[in-house]
């Protein structure tokens, strides 16, 4: 038995594992399944809520009344933190990358404001160079104000956040038993690292014999190998886990990033349209659409012909799609 640390029950879990049979028939390859982590909540849906169950438990345990975190303008992580903070009665302060631009907020940013988060925008350069200092500045500010703030790293990706996807892997082990299948590969979008670190640790702990393939959406393979390893080490050390994390294999595919983070090509948008109409599955242009497109390309190339069952972990991102609605070609 694995002893999980303190956790708040925030997410609607376990999420379903569903086959995409029309897509699989079209591919004439392995059967493709989707782990519906887009269904973990309504406004706080997606993968971040799984990590935040553990992160926020830690913040509450330490007596914190304020959460500070950071991310891009359309950060799913910041939106989930804002909504869950409101749900728990905690103040949330978001440090966002990039100037506000002055237009009416939409997508995730709209929900940040709706949930009453305090939002501070930083110019790209200042954010990139000084984010650690900016966190420290606000920590000091809240301390002087008689408050106690908890700083959540980008994407809640640290040793604590890793637990979120260790827990998802435990669900997957049960899903596979229930459906009487063996997964041959598990794909997901990787961005800040802890989803992959958690899945890798969990697959190891729960004896799932399938590689976890992180589809990079921003940086190159080496970046993710380092980041995922570092999250695994932090998890192992913080919780004194009896796992040799140095021997765990990390597999990253960085061939489908396209022009850059949050920028999707026309073929990504057409994949999003296709899956929505074919299966009622809504992907997003920043994470899941890119990762899913990459997975389909790899399957079409025959790289997974030896597989019977392939699992895609749908990590959410719906509100990011709304913020890019102009790109879908319906105008
Ligand atoms: C953050 C995010 C990811 C990536 O997860 P990480 O743990 O940051 O690597 C994937 N999909 C969506 C929709 C996300 O918001």
């Amino acid at each position: 038995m694995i002893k999980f640390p303190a956790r708040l029950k925030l997410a609607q879990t376990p999420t379903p594992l569903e086959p995409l049979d029309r897509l699989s028939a079209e591919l004439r390859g392995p059967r493709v399944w989707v782990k519906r982590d887009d269904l973990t909540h309504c406004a706080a849906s997606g993968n971040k809520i799984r990590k935040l169950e553990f992160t926020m438990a830690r913040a509450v345990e330490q007596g914190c009344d304020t959460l500070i975190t950071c991310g891009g303008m359309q950060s799913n992580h910041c939106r989930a933190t804002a909504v869950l903070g409101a749900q728990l009665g905690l103040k949330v302060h978001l440090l966002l990358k990039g100037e506000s631009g002055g237009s009416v907020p939409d997508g995730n940013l709209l929900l940040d404001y709706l949930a009453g988060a305090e939002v501070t925008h930083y110019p790209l350069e200042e954010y990139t160079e000084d984010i650690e200092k900016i966190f420290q500045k606000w920590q000091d500010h809240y301390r002087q104000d008689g408050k106690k703030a908890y700083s959540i790293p980008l994407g809640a990706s640290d040793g604590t956040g890793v637990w979120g996807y260790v827990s998802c892997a435990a669900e997957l082990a049960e899903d596979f038993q229930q459906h009487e299948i063996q997964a041959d590969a598990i794909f997901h979008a990787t961005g800040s690292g802890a989803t992959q670190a958690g899945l890798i640790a969990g697959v190891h702990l729960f004896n799932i014999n399938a590689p976890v393939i992180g589809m990079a959406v921003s940086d190159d393979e080496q970046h993710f190998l380092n980041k995922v390893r570092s999250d695994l080490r932090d998890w192992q050390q913080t919780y004194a886990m009896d796992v040799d994390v140095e021997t765990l294999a990390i597999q990253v595919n960085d061939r489908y990033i396209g022009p850059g983070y949050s920028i999707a090509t026309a073929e990504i948008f057409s994949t999003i349209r296709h899956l929505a109409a074919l299966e009622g599955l809504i992907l997003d242009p920043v994470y899941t659409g890119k990762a899913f497109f990459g997975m389909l390309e790899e399957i079409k190339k025959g790289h997974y012909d030896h597989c019977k069952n392939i699992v895609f972990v749908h990590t959410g991102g719906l509100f990011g799609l709304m913020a890019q609605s102009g790109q879908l070609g319906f105008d």
Side-chain angles (χ1 to χ4, degrees):
M1 276 300 283
I2 309 302
K3 196 175 173 299
F4 283 83
R7 171 185 191 174
L8 299 174
K9 182 70 184 139
L10 300 171
Q12 301 289 325
T13 50
T15 57
L17 178 73
E18 296 170 346
L20 298 177
D21 283 338
R22 280 179 298 281
L23 176 74
S24 305
E26 196 178 86
L27 287 170
R28 282 188 257 115
R31 193 171 191 199
V32 179
W33 298 74
V34 59
K35 177 68 170 166
R36 298 292 306 272
D37 275 12
D38 54 328
L39 300 179
T40 49
H41 192 277
C42 180
S45 63
N47 63 337
K48 301 308 181 307
I49 186 172
R50 283 197 191 264
K51 309 187 212 180
L52 290 169
E53 286 194 327
F54 294 96
T55 307
M56 289 185 170
R58 206 170 157 91
V60 169
E61 251 180 5
Q62 293 178 10
C64 295
D65 49 26
T66 301
L67 303 168
I68 309 172
T69 197
C70 67
M73 198 76 77
Q74 282 297 331
S75 164
N76 294 308
H77 162 67
C78 288
R79 177 258 309 159
T81 304
V83 171
L84 296 173
Q87 195 174 314
L88 295 172
L90 302 172
K91 180 189 163 78
V92 173
H93 191 157
L94 304 175
L95 315 173
L96 299 188
K97 178 165 65 178
E99 320 260 19
S100 68
S103 51
V104 179
D106 62 357
N108 286 298
L109 187 59
L110 174 65
L111 287 165
D112 296 344
Y113 282 109
L114 259 181
E118 183 169 341
V119 175
T120 311
H121 295 275
Y122 292 92
L124 198 66
E125 203 171 310
E126 187 183 354
Y127 178 98
T128 312
E129 284 174 17
D130 295 332
I131 192 65
E132 291 308 321
K133 273 189 227 155
I134 297 169
F135 267 105
Q136 197 51 56
K137 187 193 99 170
W138 286 111
Q139 274 286 350
D140 296 343
H141 167 88
Y142 286 112
R143 192 175 318 111
Q144 280 157 19
D145 236 25
K147 292 200 156 79
K148 192 169 179 196
Y150 187 97
S151 291
I152 305 175
L154 182 74
S157 281
D158 60 8
T160 302
V162 165
W163 282 110
Y165 274 81
V166 170
S167 148
C168 179
E171 281 178 32
L172 284 170
E174 288 208 7
D175 293 334
F176 299 156
Q177 244 183 8
Q178 215 165 56
H179 290 280
E180 299 180 336
I181 60 164
Q182 293 230 316
D184 300 302
I186 300 170
F187 285 87
H188 70 95
T190 189
S192 65
T195 296
Q196 184 158 19
L199 284 172
I200 288 172
V203 155
H204 168 76
L205 292 171
F206 304 110
N207 302 309
I208 298 171
N209 188 21
V212 174
I213 301 143
M215 304 299 285
V217 301
S218 49
D219 301 272
D220 68 6
E221 181 186 19
Q222 194 56 53
H223 167 88
F224 282 106
L225 296 180
N226 296 340
K227 180 59 169 67
V228 173
R229 186 75 69 201
S230 146
D231 286 347
L232 282 167
R233 285 179 185 145
D234 186 30
W235 170 76
Q236 190 278 324
Q237 284 163 17
T238 308
Y239 299 95
M241 298 304 294
D242 185 19
V243 175
D244 182 0
V245 296
E246 304 306 321
T247 61
L248 299 178
I250 303 171
Q251 209 174 315
V252 175
N253 181 328
D254 64 2
R255 293 185 291 279
Y256 300 95
I257 300 167
Y261 176 68
S262 86
I263 307 166
T265 54
E267 50 198 353
I268 308 291
F269 284 104
S270 80
T271 301
I272 293 172
R273 286 183 62 160
H274 185 56
L275 262 293
L278 183 70
E279 296 277 6
L281 191 75
I282 314 296
L283 302 167
D284 80 289
V286 184
Y287 294 95
T288 56
K290 243 179 219 188
F292 202 93
F293 171 77
M295 178 185 76
L296 291 181
E297 288 296 297
E298 296 288 312
I299 292 172
K300 286 176 191 165
K301 284 181 191 161
H303 294 175
Y304 292 88
D305 281 353
H306 59 287
C307 296
K308 267 176 80 174
N309 296 290
I310 286 188
V311 176
F312 182 80
V313 181
H314 191 326
T315 43
L318 178 62
F319 304 111
L321 175 65
M322 299 306 160
Q324 294 197 29
S325 56
Q327 309 250 26
L328 281 160
F330 292 114
D331 47 339

